[in-house]
Amino acid sequence: MKRRIGKFVGLIIVTIFALAVMYVSGGRNQFGAQEQDTSDSEAPTPGSNALAPVTLMQLHRQPLEILDSYAGTIEPLESFSLAFQQAGQIESLGTTAEGKRLDVGDRVTAGQVLAKLDTRILLARRDEANANLENAQTEYKRLSDLQKRSPGAVSETVLQQATQQLAVATAMRDIAEKNLEDALLVAPEAGVISKRLVNAGESINMHQAAFEIVQVDKVLLTVGVPESRIIAMQRQFNQTRRKSEPTNRGGSPNPVSDFKVYVRRFDTSSNLEGDAVLEGTVYRMAETVNDRNGLFEVEVLLDNPNRLLKPGLVAKADFVVREIEGYQVPVESVVFNDRTANLFFAVVSPESPTTQIDFAGMDLAEVPKLVAQRVEIPNYIEQGRNFILASIPGEHELLVVQGQHRLVNGRPLEVMGTVPASTSSLFSPTIDRGPMTEVSRLNTDNSGK
């Protein structure tokens, strides 16, 4: 009997201890508290009157660039495959300014001799052609003078044959001169040798490639743009098109538009160099789709004076498709709820605008009382690690960037600190962001307007 009474007393003690723990941990709200109306989704939750520690950022309206990003391949501005117009044996190769034999990587100027064929036979043929021409000219002059002195002494047939022989001799002389000129292989434009396919002493056939030259002081980055974005790009290209300008001396083209593009190489070493991000302009846009990948090719013109952009390298292009006045907020500050994007701002409480700061029971100062204000953002552009907003409902400025996930409307805030906003006047591609910046939109079209 005593054992049963002991067990009963033990159960009572355990129950009292459990109730005490529940009371201390907040369970007291389950006992005796009046039921609150929960029909309003914005009604404060238990503990919502307690100060919520947050970190703030002050937003500023500033010029921003909206970017579309694509990967592409670096290509030379122009490429030339050079060959002799006749067969023969290569007598010598051209030389550099230092007297070295031309090879891959050497710069050449327009008109510089790259290689020369053995011209002994060609010279003999030219001399033969000159001799034949001289004979034909002498014979034609003799018959013409005779015809003038004694009309009828020379028949029309004989005079016509002399005229034809003179024309043939002249043509043969011109062909011999042309063959002699073609014995020299010259660079059509200034560039860099990308391939040397012959050596001195080798025989070569007609039209067999001997050198390849590329122009790399300016290069093209070719990217593929889907049909959903090509219209917006074409519109921007048309709006920024320049008037036609004469080509620079040396065949280097001028930019044809002010359609700005930021280009970044994918190699890891470029992150350590000051020229990691280059600026170019849109040079050409394809009128038809590429049959291989179903994309429209867009070419970006880039200056490459140091030849750091090698043809074949892969690079990323950020096209500035639009420039707007707006706000830039970090993506971490956005709270998603039921597929809607929301921001929390710190605003002065409309009920009690100020509050007292006390220390050891003494009132030290009166400061604004800040509470949370939720703002839905229906339209935005997600760009890397930031959201771009054209406007903010209510034009609030103090954005909550930390602690926003436990806030509700009207909850008092305790400011633990602030973080500086971006101070750049224009969105710079050199700031830290994701490796492939994507552009996404809500409730906007792709017309580029």
Side-chain angles (χ1 to χ4, degrees):
M1 184 69 179
K2 291 181 179 181
R3 182 177 297 177
R4 292 181 178 178
I5 294 175
K7 291 182 178 180
F8 182 71
V9 172
L11 291 174
I12 293 176
I13 294 173
V14 171
T15 303
I16 293 174
F17 179 76
L19 292 175
V21 171
M22 293 175 61
Y23 181 81
V24 172
S25 63
R28 59 185 181 277
N29 294 328
Q30 302 288 338
F31 301 94
Q34 296 180 355
E35 294 184 358
Q36 299 180 354
D37 184 10
T38 60
S39 60
D40 186 2
S41 61
E42 294 297 335
T45 60
S48 62
N49 290 327
L51 292 176
V54 296
T55 302
L56 303 180
M57 171 191 289
Q58 186 170 8
L59 299 181
H60 301 280
R61 192 173 183 85
Q62 59 180 325
L64 298 170
E65 294 177 340
I66 308 303
L67 308 178
D68 266 359
S69 299
Y70 304 93
T73 305
I74 300 294
E75 298 178 357
L77 180 63
E78 295 290 348
S79 179
F80 304 91
S81 180
L82 305 179
F84 286 101
Q85 298 300 307
Q86 57 187 322
Q89 185 180 36
I90 296 178
E91 182 180 86
S92 63
L93 298 178
T95 58
T96 63
E98 295 80 15
K100 297 181 180 180
R101 185 184 64 179
L102 289 177
D103 208 343
V104 174
D106 290 333
R107 286 184 176 271
V108 295
T109 59
Q112 181 175 347
V113 176
L114 305 178
K116 179 183 178 182
L117 292 178
D118 186 349
T119 59
R120 289 174 294 179
I121 296 178
L122 298 177
L123 289 171
R125 290 175 179 173
R126 184 191 64 177
D127 294 340
E128 180 185 7
N130 285 332
N132 292 334
L133 177 60
E134 185 177 353
N135 292 333
Q137 289 174 339
T138 301
E139 180 64 17
Y140 177 77
K141 185 175 183 303
R142 185 185 68 81
L143 294 175
S144 296
D145 292 343
L146 181 59
Q147 178 69 16
K148 291 179 181 178
R149 290 194 306 267
S150 301
V154 180
S155 66
E156 291 294 331
T157 302
V158 173
L159 187 59
Q160 184 177 4
Q161 288 177 350
T163 303
Q164 292 175 349
Q165 289 175 358
L166 178 59
V168 171
T170 303
M172 296 303 294
R173 192 275 313 270
D174 293 341
I175 293 174
E177 293 284 356
K178 181 63 170 60
N179 288 338
L180 199 56
E181 291 178 5
D182 289 344
L184 295 178
L185 187 64
V186 299
E189 297 286 350
V192 177
I193 297 176
S194 61
K195 290 183 181 181
R196 180 176 64 84
L197 305 172
V198 293
N199 287 307
E202 292 182 348
S203 296
I204 192 169
N205 295 323
M206 181 186 299
H207 300 158
Q208 178 183 339
F211 283 87
E212 286 189 7
I213 295 178
V214 293
Q215 291 182 326
V216 292
D217 287 338
K218 289 188 177 183
V219 294
L220 297 175
L221 173 63
T222 304
V223 303
V225 178
E227 60 179 339
S228 60
R229 295 300 304 150
I230 193 62
I231 296 178
M233 279 203 177
Q234 184 68 58
R235 182 175 288 113
Q236 180 70 4
F237 183 60
N238 294 341
Q239 293 174 353
T240 57
R241 196 79 180 255
R242 294 184 182 180
K243 294 182 179 179
S244 59
E245 299 177 0
T247 301
N248 294 330
R249 182 176 298 178
S252 180
N254 292 309
V256 299
S257 75
D258 294 317
F259 192 163
K260 192 161 38 176
V261 185
Y262 298 116
V263 176
R264 184 193 301 269
R265 292 175 295 174
F266 276 124
D267 60 297
T268 56
S269 63
S270 63
N271 296 327
L272 305 178
E273 301 172 2
D275 57 353
V277 177
L278 304 176
E279 185 174 327
T281 56
V282 174
Y283 184 61
R284 262 193 304 255
M285 302 186 71
E287 296 297 330
T288 58
V289 71
N290 189 307
D291 294 334
R292 293 177 299 174
N293 53 27
L295 301 175
F296 291 87
E297 290 188 349
V298 177
E299 295 177 346
V300 179
L301 181 64
L302 296 166
D303 287 326
N304 189 34
N306 298 324
R307 295 162 58 184
L308 298 178
L309 296 175
K310 302 293 185 181
L313 289 179
V314 178
K316 181 173 72 82
D318 295 326
F319 292 80
V320 182
V321 295
R322 210 185 335 163
E323 296 184 12
I324 65 171
E325 292 279 339
Y327 302 91
Q328 180 175 289
V329 302
V331 67
E332 294 84 0
S333 64
V334 181
V335 179
F336 289 93
N337 184 17
D338 295 332
R339 296 185 179 181
T340 62
N342 304 273
L343 296 175
F344 279 94
F345 291 89
V347 299
V348 177
S349 173
E351 299 176 355
S352 53
T354 60
T355 184
Q356 294 288 341
I357 296 180
D358 60 68
F359 178 75
M362 297 182 296
D363 293 337
L364 298 181
E366 190 175 75
V367 297
K369 181 179 180 181
L370 299 179
V371 296
Q373 176 67 49
R374 184 179 67 86
V375 175
E376 181 179 338
I377 49 173
N379 303 321
Y380 63 87
I381 300 175
E382 183 179 356
Q383 187 161 270
R385 300 185 63 84
N386 295 281
F387 272 25
I388 306 300
L389 310 177
S391 62
I392 297 177
E395 299 297 327
H396 301 294
E397 293 185 352
L398 295 177
L399 174 67
V400 179
V401 293
Q402 291 182 1
Q404 69 274 15
H405 292 284
R406 54 179 176 267
L407 297 181
V408 294
N409 268 344
R411 181 169 182 179
L413 304 178
E414 179 182 5
V415 180
M416 306 302 294
T418 61
V419 296
S422 174
T423 57
S424 61
S425 61
L426 201 62
F427 186 85
S428 172
T430 58
I431 68 172
D432 184 22
R433 67 178 190 270
M436 283 298 293
T437 306
E438 299 288 346
V439 176
S440 58
R441 295 170 172 77
L442 289 183
N443 297 336
T444 58
D445 59 21
N446 284 325
S447 62
K449 296 181 179 179

